[in-house]
Amino acid sequence: MLPVARPRTFDEDRALDAAMRAFWINGYEATSTQDLCEATGLGRSSIYNTFVSKRDLFRRALTRYMDAMNEAQFALLDDHDRSPLERVRAVLDRVVATEAGLGCLTVNTTVELAGRDTEIAAALERDTAQRLARMSAVLAAGQRDGEIAGGRDPDALARYLVAVISGIRVAAQGGADRAALEDIAATALDALV
Amino acid sequence: MLPVARPRTFDEDRALDAAMRAFWINGYEATSTQDLCEATGLGRSSIYNTFVSKRDLFRRALTRYMDAMNEAQFALLDDHDRSPLERVRAVLDRVVATEAGLGCLTVNTTVELAGRDTEIAAALERDTAQRLARMSAVLAAGQRDGEIAGGRDPDALARYLVAVISGIRVAAQGGADRAALEDIAATALDALV
DNA sequence: CAAGTTTTGTACAGATCGATCCAAAACAAG
DNA sequence: CTTGTTTTGGATCGATCTGTACAAAACTTG
């Protein structure tokens, strides 16, 4: 009495990853549903049956991206084998290494959609708040150790660093080479010591 | 022998300004030709007759934006009544004051189009190179005066500052309030002294 | 194998996209 | 006023957009 019917022939998370990359490279508006079909290898029916709409698919892709990025970044920030300043440096190094060429889906979405889609703007703000809090905690620890300059509020320092990371990503998308990005990151750390 | 025919009933520069604002607020893809008609108050024929295509209109609007922004910024950088560091501070102050809410068309375009339109990417790179050169010159002067730390190449410092400015603009578009932007700008200057 | 349920491919709907066409309107020159 | 030229408004083009409808295919269960 419980026929389970035809199962899916694709993996939902893999499809989500493919869609995420498509949005990442071309942005929300410039990625058509046809592009999404080709990127995922799925037919229109499968996409709409699974993800409801292009916007909903984008929101899921965005949260997947944020979760993955934050997991990696928080792992570096919580690495107890390094000092706070070294952790911050590791985060910046990773940004420089990762963002070579294409930018960052979070920054791209902030620029493209935050002013127009309040729901997405709210998700981005939650994400930013999380990153700020974790960064601020590490900076405060560095200040207690005396490793990081104590003249400023750790929240202000965190806002500064998050802004610099956005700036690095914009610079990368604008064509800056890796050496230039490394210069930016290294100079940014001068403000902490 | 030289009939001059029907003259235009609109001002080309005003139309360009209106189009620029439309692109600025919503981005290139999300601004339709219909939106451009409403923003400028012109009919489709007038727009296409004057600006050839949506893309050409965008390119003209973008260069107009860059010219206006650079003129204001270079005026601050060349203000001989202030010291080099004070000029840099003035530039950052202006960015914070200007970018309250909507971001910056240059940053937006870098994120939305630089990866996809080589011609626009080239225009953006020329603009960035100009800003870097002017900024670097002022920083070098500050280093000669001893007002700015001499430990780093002025070009590297300039890249850093331009990236911070991009970061401030992204933060603004992400909803950061003015106090937060001021914190970022003030902290950024710590790296120079 | 048969029944029941979901997926999948295809075709298509309705709207909107950028861009063009064309005739009427508007103006300068003679 | 006539002539010549350009602008202007409106209709319209073909392409493409997101999303839906529907029937055939595929698979599990009894």
Side-chain angles (χ1 to χ4, degrees):
Chain A
M1 228 322 184
L2 290 171
V4 181
R6 178 174 179 177
R8 290 209 176 119
T9 60
F10 66 93
D11 182 76
E12 193 167 321
D13 283 338
R14 298 187 86 83
L16 206 50
D17 274 331
M20 184 192 79
R21 274 190 296 273
F23 283 128
W24 189 355
I25 294 172
N26 284 330
Y28 176 77
E29 298 284 352
T31 302
S32 69
T33 53
Q34 182 62 29
D35 294 334
L36 293 168
C37 289
E38 289 163 14
T40 59
L42 305 182
R44 307 181 77 73
S45 294
S46 300
I47 287 187
Y48 276 92
N49 190 29
T50 309
F51 300 107
V52 181
S53 72
K54 177 183 169 182
R55 209 187 82 107
D56 282 21
L57 171 54
F58 179 80
R59 290 197 47 207
R60 285 196 56 183
L62 176 62
T63 59
R64 187 173 172 82
Y65 177 89
M66 294 190 301
D67 289 345
M69 285 297 175
N70 286 347
E71 185 182 10
Q73 193 167 106
F74 294 167
L76 291 175
L77 285 178
D78 294 340
D79 180 359
H80 292 293
D81 293 341
R82 309 188 194 204
S83 75
L85 182 59
E86 282 171 344
R87 294 181 213 174
V88 172
R89 196 192 318 270
V91 167
L92 288 182
D93 285 349
R94 181 175 171 279
V95 170
V96 168
T98 306
E99 246 59 47
L102 40 83
C104 155
L105 183 58
T106 304
V107 170
N108 299 1
T109 304
T110 299
V111 168
E112 185 181 3
L113 297 178
R116 214 146 31 93
D117 188 318
T118 57
E119 215 169 350
I120 287 179
L124 289 168
E125 283 184 43
R126 278 196 306 274
D127 178 68
T128 302
Q130 264 190 58
R131 291 214 316 279
L132 284 174
R134 301 287 280 253
M135 184 72 82
S136 178
V138 173
L139 292 166
Q143 287 181 325
R144 281 194 299 275
D145 297 351
E147 188 188 34
I148 290 175
R152 293 196 182 275
D153 181 45
D155 286 347
L157 291 181
R159 277 194 287 273
Y160 160 74
L161 280 172
V162 168
V164 168
I165 289 172
S166 294
I168 289 174
R169 283 164 165 165
V170 172
Q173 208 149 18
D177 60 16
R178 181 159 175 155
L181 303 184
E182 285 170 355
D183 278 349
I184 297 169
T187 308
L189 289 174
D190 290 349
L192 301 184
V193 295
Chain B
M1 223 328 186
L2 289 171
V4 181
R6 179 175 180 177
R8 290 210 177 119
T9 61
F10 65 93
D11 182 76
E12 192 166 320
D13 283 339
R14 297 187 87 83
L16 207 49
D17 274 332
M20 184 193 77
R21 274 191 297 274
F23 284 128
W24 189 355
I25 294 172
N26 284 329
Y28 177 77
E29 297 286 351
T31 302
S32 69
T33 53
Q34 182 62 31
D35 294 334
L36 293 168
C37 289
E38 290 164 13
T40 58
L42 305 182
R44 310 178 77 71
S45 294
S46 300
I47 288 187
Y48 277 92
N49 189 30
T50 309
F51 301 107
V52 181
S53 71
K54 177 183 170 183
R55 209 187 83 107
D56 283 20
L57 171 54
F58 178 80
R59 288 196 50 206
R60 284 197 54 183
L62 176 62
T63 59
R64 187 172 173 82
Y65 176 88
M66 295 190 301
D67 289 346
M69 285 297 175
N70 286 346
E71 186 182 9
Q73 194 168 105
F74 294 166
L76 291 176
L77 285 179
D78 293 341
D79 180 358
H80 294 293
D81 293 342
R82 308 187 194 206
S83 75
L85 181 60
E86 282 171 345
R87 295 181 212 173
V88 172
R89 197 192 318 270
V91 167
L92 288 182
D93 285 349
R94 181 175 172 279
V95 169
V96 167
T98 307
E99 247 60 46
L102 40 83
C104 155
L105 184 57
T106 304
V107 170
N108 299 2
T109 304
T110 299
V111 168
E112 186 182 0
L113 296 179
R116 217 148 26 92
D117 188 318
T118 57
E119 216 170 349
I120 288 180
L124 289 168
E125 282 183 45
R126 277 195 307 273
D127 178 68
T128 303
Q130 263 190 57
R131 291 215 316 280
L132 283 175
R134 301 288 278 254
M135 183 72 82
S136 179
V138 173
L139 292 166
Q143 286 181 326
R144 282 192 299 273
D145 298 350
E147 188 187 35
I148 289 175
R152 293 196 182 275
D153 181 45
D155 287 347
L157 291 181
R159 276 194 289 272
Y160 159 75
L161 280 171
V162 168
V164 168
I165 289 172
S166 294
I168 288 174
R169 284 164 165 167
V170 172
Q173 207 149 20
D177 60 14
R178 179 158 176 158
L181 303 183
E182 286 170 355
D183 278 349
I184 297 169
T187 309
L189 289 174
D190 290 348
L192 301 184
V193 297

